[in-house]
Amino acid sequence: MIVGASAAGLSTAEALRRQGYQDPITILGAEADPPYDRPPLSKQYLRGDWDADRTRLRPDSMLDALGANFILGDPAISLDVDRRLVRSAAGRELAADAIVIATGLRPRALPDQAGLAGVHVLRTLADAAALRADLSNAPKVVVVGNGVLGVELAATARQLGCAVTLTGRQAAPMESQFGPMVAGLVAQLHTTEGVELHSGTAVTGLTPADGRVTGVQLAGGDHLPAEVVIVAIGSEPVTDWLAGSGLRLDDGVVCDSRCRAADGIYAAGDVARWYHDGQRALLRLENRTNATEQAACVAANIVGESHSYVPVPYFWSDQFVTKIQVHGIQTADAEVTVVEGNPADHRFIAHYRRDDRVIAVLGWNMPKQIRLHKQQYLT
Amino acid sequence: MKIIVDQDKCVASGQCVSSAPDVFDQREDDGIVVLLNDNPPAGLADDVRQAAALCPALVITIVE
């Protein structure tokens, strides 16, 4: 029984079958759409390069071959841990020998955005479709939030011909992901492409007129006029349906090193906060690769193995024609050195070091080379 | 085993090359997947399945 029909949920089912699991599998998903991939939503789909069908994780033929019972458009509302029983909004009661929690994330909203036309978040295909429609006549756009998603959305909106302002609390775009040196280069990239930056600023509210957003009010008193506002201020794990279940919920479903939240209950993907034996800490990763890798570990543990999950985290970000890839876990106090290429040529590799050890490697338009650095320094 | 890759969907993560270096490579300039052998011997089948499973853009299709 897998709760969540996105990348982590579907990957768990596929990994179970690959590992010879022959018992029935049920996949319960909150969204009605067949499983689709989220990274293209902020890029290829939003730009109009891909239609919705191209974002699908698997074609019908492969979903059929999986031999799983898909129940879509019916969110889980509670879990009985002792009986291993999930209740759904439509009134279903689904019991199983093993339950995998893969309910992902929900975007945070600004307090005053509810019901205001022209304000968007991006998590689902439906969100992306609504945003795509609203961007079609090249409106003036303000993106609130200068993390990974906000920065990518600013780039895509700009590519669609919109006038774009990117604002956020970080002193430079993606500074918490990349550190100040590389974040400065991200700022430069966006400025060169014509995105206006207001970094290191908090948003105090949205300004409305006749039920439609007219702009964003900044803490310093500035007002940024906008026809469309995209809110990308982070997400929260979807665990409200687990309140009262007895599972430990603390910024996600807390799991042991085997991704086990309780006997016979596992978590995978964005929602899982598990104990990383190598880092000796609880970790929760919001990235695409983790969904697949953690799902494979959970599947192995369900079929009777006992693997601790110790990945080298990996994420990438595509902005304009720049591809940035990071392996490892960088920290704010890491020392950053360019070891290959040159930022001035828009192609380089940087190492992040702490205590004289490489803890992360970053590639800027060097996808083949960064893999070699990962293999050499992080595995 | 026959392998098909969708280069247009590839995100250049290189996971496939790490899993099955005899079957996959990456283009020098943009890291997009290059198929070295679309019909690899049975001994590499497990590596190829691993590559297909780990690809974050699901661009590798295996026809058994």
Side-chain angles (χ1 to χ4, degrees):
Chain A
M1 168 82 207
I2 298 164
V3 188
S6 193
L10 181 63
S11 298
T12 306
E14 292 188 343
L16 280 167
R17 290 299 186 226
R18 253 193 337 273
Q19 293 175 34
Y21 185 86
Q22 291 180 348
D23 292 339
I25 297 175
T26 298
I27 302 177
L28 179 69
E31 294 176 58
D33 292 303
Y36 59 87
D37 206 14
R38 297 189 198 276
L41 296 185
S42 60
K43 300 172 284 269
Q44 294 95 328
Y45 176 79
L46 193 58
R47 269 200 304 268
D49 297 347
W50 290 11
D51 60 13
D53 207 47
R54 193 125 173 77
T55 68
R56 283 191 56 171
L57 285 168
R58 298 293 190 197
D60 281 335
S61 57
M62 285 183 77
L63 294 182
D64 292 344
L66 195 57
N69 174 29
F70 283 89
I71 304 172
L72 300 177
D74 186 13
I77 55 167
S78 75
L79 169 66
D80 183 328
V81 168
D82 293 333
R83 294 166 62 200
R84 290 183 202 149
L85 180 101
V86 173
R87 289 191 177 81
S88 77
R92 291 186 170 90
E93 295 201 340
L94 303 156
D97 296 326
I99 290 173
V100 180
I101 298 166
T103 41
L105 304 172
R106 179 179 296 133
R108 284 196 199 104
L110 291 171
D112 50 354
Q113 79 178 66
L116 202 54
V119 186
H120 295 264
V121 293
L122 180 66
R123 174 68 183 170
T124 67
L125 188 53
D127 293 339
L131 178 56
R132 188 159 112 168
D134 238 5
L135 291 182
S136 62
N137 54 353
K140 186 186 267 292
V141 174
V142 173
V143 179
V144 180
N146 53 7
V148 183
L149 182 61
V151 169
E152 286 192 355
L153 287 168
T156 302
R158 187 73 198 112
Q159 287 174 309
L160 286 169
C162 304
V164 180
T165 304
L166 173 63
T167 181
R169 288 175 185 238
Q170 303 194 60
M174 301 180 76
E175 190 176 75
S176 65
Q177 286 83 21
F178 294 156
M181 193 278 275
V182 177
L185 297 171
V186 175
Q188 216 174 73
L189 167 67
H190 280 255
T191 305
T192 306
E193 295 284 353
V195 175
E196 193 182 321
L197 300 181
H198 279 259
S199 305
T201 340
V203 165
T204 55
L206 301 169
T207 52
D210 303 326
R212 198 174 170 92
V213 74
T214 59
V216 170
Q217 192 65 50
L218 299 180
D222 285 348
H223 179 257
L224 306 174
E227 292 157 288
V228 169
V229 173
I230 310 174
V231 179
I233 52 174
S235 301
E236 278 156 12
V238 177
T239 56
D240 45 351
W241 66 286
L242 296 166
S245 67
L247 294 183
R248 194 174 148 212
L249 307 174
D250 179 9
D251 183 34
V253 177
V254 177
C255 298
D256 67 10
S257 61
R258 270 71 177 159
C259 309
R260 235 178 355 207
D263 231 16
I265 300 188
Y266 302 80
D270 296 336
V271 78
R273 185 155 176 249
W274 88 104
Y275 187 82
H276 190 298
D277 271 342
Q279 299 286 327
R280 298 188 183 180
L282 285 170
L283 220 60
R284 192 171 67 74
L285 298 176
E286 295 181 358
N287 68 55
R288 177 63 183 82
T289 340
N290 181 59
T292 304
E293 292 181 352
Q294 194 163 23
C297 180
V298 164
N301 290 340
I302 289 174
V303 299
E305 299 186 36
S306 183
H307 292 308
S308 52
Y309 181 54
V310 283
V312 175
Y314 165 71
F315 78 96
W316 78 92
S317 177
D318 296 328
Q319 304 161 24
F320 301 105
V321 291
T322 298
K323 180 178 287 293
I324 308 168
Q325 296 167 295
V326 182
H327 296 272
I329 303 172
Q330 72 99 3
T331 54
D333 59 346
E335 184 191 327
V336 186
T337 324
V338 174
V339 295
E340 191 176 334
N342 187 340
D345 300 333
H346 312 291
R347 270 172 80 85
F348 68 94
I349 284 173
H351 283 185
Y352 292 74
R353 290 173 172 273
R354 198 180 50 191
D355 302 332
D356 251 0
R357 217 166 49 85
V358 177
I359 55 171
V361 297
L362 177 144
W364 182 291
N365 285 331
M366 292 190 86
K368 183 168 181 175
Q369 296 79 3
I370 194 65
R371 175 175 53 78
L372 301 173
H373 280 258
K374 181 232 172 179
Q375 281 168 356
Q376 187 175 349
Y377 294 97
L378 296 173
T379 43
Chain B
M1 172 181 271
K2 174 120 176 72
I3 304 171
I4 302 162
V5 296
D6 184 345
Q7 288 185 321
D8 176 48
K9 266 192 163 183
C10 176
V11 294
S13 76
Q15 296 268 43
C16 55
V17 192
S18 302
S19 300
D22 295 330
V23 180
F24 302 100
D25 197 359
Q26 290 177 276
R27 295 200 297 231
E28 285 296 329
D29 54 341
D30 60 9
I32 297 299
V33 62
V34 177
L35 193 53
L36 299 175
N37 184 348
D38 68 358
N39 191 4
L44 295 176
D46 281 348
D47 292 349
V48 171
R49 281 192 205 99
Q50 163 100 349
L54 288 183
C55 172
L58 302 178
V59 308
I60 302 166
T61 307
I62 300 171
V63 186
E64 298 278 354

